[in-house]
Amino acid sequence: MPLPQKAGRLAGTGPRRLTRTAAVLAAALALLSPPSAVASAVAQEAPAADVGVRVNTQASLGRMPDTARGVNAAIWDSHMNDPEVASLMKAADVGAMRYPGGSYADIYHWKTHTAPGGYVAPGTDFDSFMGTVRATGAQPILIANYGSGTPEEAAGWVRYANVTKNYNAKYWEIGNEIYGNGHYGNGWEHDEHEDKSPREYARQVRAYAKAMKAVDPTIKIGAVLTTPGQWPDGVVGEGDPGDWNHTVLSEVTDVIDFVSVHWYAGGSDTTAEDAMTRLTMLPGELREIRSQINRYAGAGSPPLGIALTEINTNTGGARLTARPNGLFAADAFMTALENGVFTVDWWNTHNGPDQITTVDGETDYGDMGMLSSGSCTGDVCEPATNTPFHPYYGMKMTGELGAAGDTLVAAASSAQDVSAHAVHRRDGRLSVLLINKDPDAARTVGLEYTGFTPSAAPEVRRYARGDRDITDVTDGGWSASRVTVPPHGMLTVTLAPRAGTGPGASDAEAPGTPRLEAVTDTTARLSWEGARGAARYLVQERDGAHTWLVGETTSTSVTLRNLPPGSTHTVNVLAADASGRFSAPSTPLTFTTGTPSDATCVVTYHRDTGWGNGFVATVTVQNLSATPISGWTVDWDWPTDRQSVSSGWNATFHQTGRHVRVTAPEDAGPLAPNGGSTASFGFVGANDGPNPEPTVFRLNGTVCSSG
């Protein structure tokens, strides 16, 4: 029986400076030197860098989790537990394997190993799957059947897994894409509950968590969320108090340990090149998820994790196995991990062929799997079963950067078509991943470092055209400051620190993660666990790979002052020893200041409804000052570049870049003093990606309180 494809769902180059230094130098030397000297000088001249990459080891993005790289496994996949699978996944340092397979989870009964209405392949039962997990050295991520199961059935699975078999299965999701159960009009997810609302899902999550943790209180429970900016984000069903995420989170943050989201760049016609462009939206979407968690979990927010349990270029069809999707896989894994995700799980291990195309000179089998299933579409057959496709090598390439416990650090590229990611290893070495998305031209990258001093030429590994696997490169003439990345290729550059430099030379250990103790409109009080050997602490703010000092203290707390209202800041802490040598940085904290509680105006922003890439909002303004205000204006800035006002009413709207100015209609009366009247206006907005609310509003230039 052919393997089923992933269930369908709705979703929502920079300029280069090329120089000819070698040619100019050769012409000059020809006038001054004998021919042999000219030839020698030209041969030694390195290509001029057309891309700049800065790596800042003092700007931590968090620690590499042991579950960082993950894959999905499906019970309809007859090759799911082939011995080659475990070997290949172990070689790629895969730390998480998700089971029993996407939407199949909501029809699967673990005890009988059946999925009514679906196909179950031989040899795919839970124990067989756990054999592959253990041989890989990974952890399972298990999806409890919500659609046709019960809390008692899920608790029985926990008992079998962790009490009877002692598998120590830690991560348990409650259902798959439950928001796709038809409640919003589009249904692909099986759900037998009469009430299919987010409120009922939240009620059931509480029941599942109670039953499952009664068996093993150490397990981690995950609730399903929608991805901000992708349908049905923002949609409010009839009778619901809010959209899916806000309704669910308002009810479950005290009983869950993580949330699960999926990210597909688009529908079946999305190319890997399109997906790599849309990947720039993922950090904002993940920030919005964290913001939603913070809103409802409060002080309990930091321990709640985010799992990206499905990711791929598109939702099935074409352009999935060729080289560009390998570049996308590497870029996507690292982008998600750098933005606070504890696992990134590729869909799928095997999936089966679909539309056959030619991409980058190779056959693309339209297969969402990392490994070949050995199946055919018409007279076109995939390579031998378990032959890796390019996305496998993209994932494997991220394993060249480092392992669990190493520090993800900031890296910024000057070119849109060259991505850079970096990891500072616990042994002091620094690894940088460079991804050249240009299909035609090699890119020469100039590397600069903050907080790191390299000792010698780097070790370089490559995956590019002509490579059958990740390959050691010994003849590239690389230096610590300059390497050349082949077209549609990837390099990892690993450097040792100069003796006596870096965190290893400091007597101070890394401080604890900063905590936000209190925040106002202009101040933030932070504290952290002290570090052994620390004589003082430096608090840094980060923007990209750039950091600057914002606080210094000998204690383990500091108050940052003169912050703009409604502004977002990412900070970490360094410890300095008695000789002034810096430790490794703490993991980062991101926070947003509020608005003044004693402002002379108040603005209430309410998103009335949405549909993934658009929304309707109402804004209400009150004047709290002692004098009336005539001819008012309201200003705000959108948090992202892809938010805009399309049309509005009861006011005049003008947008420049992110900035919006709303002007009162000519016939509007004055805003009465002391909150005696209100003015309201509404608009239709558009968003391509996440749709966070503005953080600060101004009435005639004065910062207002938020209503």
Side-chain angles (χ1 to χ4, degrees):
M1 174 177 181
L3 298 180
Q5 292 295 313
K6 180 65 179 164
R9 74 216 50 215
L10 299 179
T13 64
R16 303 200 316 231
R17 294 178 288 107
L18 300 177
T19 59
R20 303 297 182 192
T21 307
V24 174
L25 178 63
L29 289 175
L31 301 175
L32 304 172
S33 308
S36 60
V38 173
S40 175
V42 172
Q44 295 176 15
E45 178 67 23
D50 60 343
V51 178
V53 167
R54 175 173 290 279
V55 180
N56 189 341
T57 61
Q58 294 180 345
S60 168
L61 306 180
R63 305 285 185 255
M64 183 78 79
D66 57 0
T67 50
R69 283 165 288 275
V71 294
N72 278 268
I75 56 173
W76 41 256
D77 174 14
S78 60
H79 298 291
M80 182 179 77
N81 296 310
D82 289 354
E84 297 90 342
V85 171
S87 298
L88 287 164
M89 296 306 168
K90 187 172 185 177
D93 194 26
V94 165
M97 305 184 83
R98 184 172 179 253
Y99 175 94
S103 296
Y104 259 59
D106 286 306
I107 60 173
Y108 178 65
H109 300 283
W110 71 272
K111 193 170 186 178
T112 58
H113 188 51
T114 57
Y119 171 70
V120 177
T124 61
D125 59 274
F126 176 56
D127 287 315
S128 297
F129 165 73
M130 285 305 303
T132 299
V133 170
R134 288 187 158 187
T136 300
Q139 296 184 49
I141 296 179
L142 302 173
I143 317 169
N145 183 343
Y146 176 85
S148 60
T150 64
E152 293 71 27
E153 181 182 28
W157 197 359
V158 174
R159 182 175 294 105
Y160 179 78
N162 291 354
V163 179
T164 304
K165 302 295 291 190
N166 202 27
Y167 286 144
N168 193 28
K170 183 177 181 181
Y171 299 102
W172 298 78
E173 296 178 66
I174 310 303
N176 185 52
E177 296 168 350
I178 304 302
Y179 49 80
N181 61 8
H183 182 66
Y184 300 109
N186 191 333
W188 63 85
E189 199 74 17
H190 187 80
D191 184 0
E192 296 179 1
H193 295 88
E194 183 177 352
D195 182 351
K196 294 178 170 54
S197 69
R199 177 170 282 175
E200 174 64 12
Y201 175 70
R203 190 184 73 81
Q204 291 287 343
V205 165
R206 298 189 69 86
Y208 273 73
K210 180 179 180 180
M212 296 165 74
K213 288 195 172 186
V215 176
D216 183 353
T218 69
I219 65 172
K220 305 294 184 183
I221 297 291
V224 173
L225 296 186
T226 66
T227 302
Q230 296 189 15
W231 186 94
D233 175 48
V235 179
V236 179
E238 184 177 353
D240 293 342
D243 64 6
W244 182 275
N245 285 9
H246 289 86
T247 302
V248 171
L249 286 172
S250 68
E251 300 284 347
V252 304
T253 55
D254 60 323
V255 298
I256 64 170
D257 304 283
F258 68 98
V259 300
S260 171
V261 294
H262 295 169
W263 198 87
Y264 294 87
S268 59
D269 59 346
T270 301
T271 67
E273 288 84 353
D274 296 334
M276 283 187 280
T277 298
R278 293 188 66 82
L279 194 59
T280 59
M281 295 189 295
L282 182 58
E285 291 166 343
L286 293 173
R287 282 195 299 271
E288 180 63 7
I289 292 170
R290 176 52 63 187
S291 176
Q292 292 172 0
I293 295 172
N294 291 347
R295 175 176 176 178
Y296 294 104
S301 176
L304 294 183
I306 301 173
L308 190 54
T309 51
E310 289 186 23
I311 191 169
N312 208 316
T313 294
N314 62 53
T315 52
R319 299 172 290 276
L320 287 157
T321 66
R323 184 174 302 279
N325 212 27
L327 305 180
F328 167 79
D331 212 5
F333 271 90
M334 293 310 303
T335 298
L337 293 169
E338 290 163 352
N339 285 277
V341 166
F342 71 83
T343 185
V344 186
D345 307 327
W346 190 261
W347 185 273
N348 197 11
T349 301
H350 307 92
N351 209 74
D354 195 356
Q355 184 179 345
I356 306 299
T357 57
T358 299
V359 179
D360 202 37
E362 300 177 311
T363 299
D364 188 292
Y365 299 96
D367 191 326
M368 299 180 78
M370 280 199 162
L371 308 178
S372 171
S373 66
S375 302
C376 304
T377 295
D379 58 356
V380 177
C381 294
E382 292 185 340
T385 304
N386 294 317
T387 299
F389 293 130
H390 290 292
Y392 168 81
Y393 292 112
M395 177 180 68
K396 186 179 181 183
M397 199 69 172
T398 70
E400 297 294 319
L401 285 173
D406 293 341
T407 302
L408 300 151
V409 296
S413 170
S414 66
Q416 294 179 357
D417 56 0
V418 175
S419 292
H421 306 279
V423 172
H424 200 183
R425 303 190 186 200
R426 287 169 295 173
D427 63 7
R429 291 181 299 159
L430 174 67
S431 292
V432 184
L433 170 63
L434 301 169
I435 304 169
N436 180 8
K437 306 167 195 174
D438 190 322
D440 302 313
R443 306 301 299 275
T444 299
V445 177
L447 291 160
E448 298 181 13
Y449 310 94
T450 298
F452 183 84
T453 305
S455 64
E459 299 175 6
V460 178
R461 305 205 77 195
R462 181 191 68 206
Y463 186 69
R465 291 180 180 128
D467 293 331
R468 294 183 176 273
D469 202 338
I470 296 171
T471 303
D472 287 314
V473 182
T474 57
D475 57 353
W478 318 117
S479 72
S481 61
R482 188 160 300 178
V483 296
T484 299
V485 191
H488 264 180
M490 297 182 277
L491 292 182
T492 54
V493 180
T494 299
L495 299 139
R498 182 179 295 172
T501 67
S506 175
D507 292 330
E509 297 181 350
T513 304
R515 299 181 296 269
L516 183 64
E517 301 289 352
V519 63
T520 69
D521 55 324
T522 60
T523 67
R525 181 170 178 79
L526 312 177
S527 66
W528 54 89
E529 294 293 330
R532 183 183 304 170
R536 59 192 173 97
Y537 298 95
L538 293 87
V539 181
Q540 298 186 121
E541 184 164 357
R542 177 180 67 83
D543 183 9
H546 178 57
T547 54
W548 61 96
L549 185 67
V550 293
E552 185 172 356
T553 181
T554 56
S555 70
T556 56
S557 65
V558 70
T559 298
L560 307 181
R561 304 184 186 278
N562 300 317
L563 305 174
S567 57
T568 299
H569 306 266
T570 298
V571 297
N572 58 26
V573 184
L574 294 171
D577 66 11
S579 299
R581 296 169 298 194
F582 294 134
S583 71
S586 72
T587 54
L589 167 73
T590 298
F591 66 89
T592 301
T593 57
T595 54
S597 58
D598 57 352
T600 57
C601 53
V602 60
V603 173
T604 301
Y605 178 95
H606 183 265
R607 190 185 309 159
D608 304 324
T609 189
W611 48 91
N613 60 357
F615 61 102
V616 175
T618 299
V619 180
T620 303
V621 185
Q622 266 188 307
N623 169 27
L624 303 182
S625 73
T627 58
I629 296 177
S630 299
W632 52 263
T633 61
V634 174
D635 292 82
W636 73 81
D637 292 292
W638 292 117
T640 78
D641 293 327
R642 295 182 172 94
Q643 294 170 282
S644 62
V645 174
S646 301
S647 61
W649 51 91
N650 295 341
T652 300
F653 297 80
H654 180 72
Q655 181 167 340
T656 303
R658 292 188 183 186
H659 186 74
V660 178
R661 168 159 288 188
V662 182
T663 305
E666 292 183 1
D667 59 352
L671 281 169
N674 303 315
S677 66
T678 61
S680 293
F681 55 86
F683 63 91
V684 177
N687 59 288
D688 182 14
N691 188 25
E693 295 183 0
T695 56
V696 65
F697 293 85
R698 288 176 169 83
L699 175 63
N700 287 3
T702 298
V703 176
C704 299
S705 299
S706 297

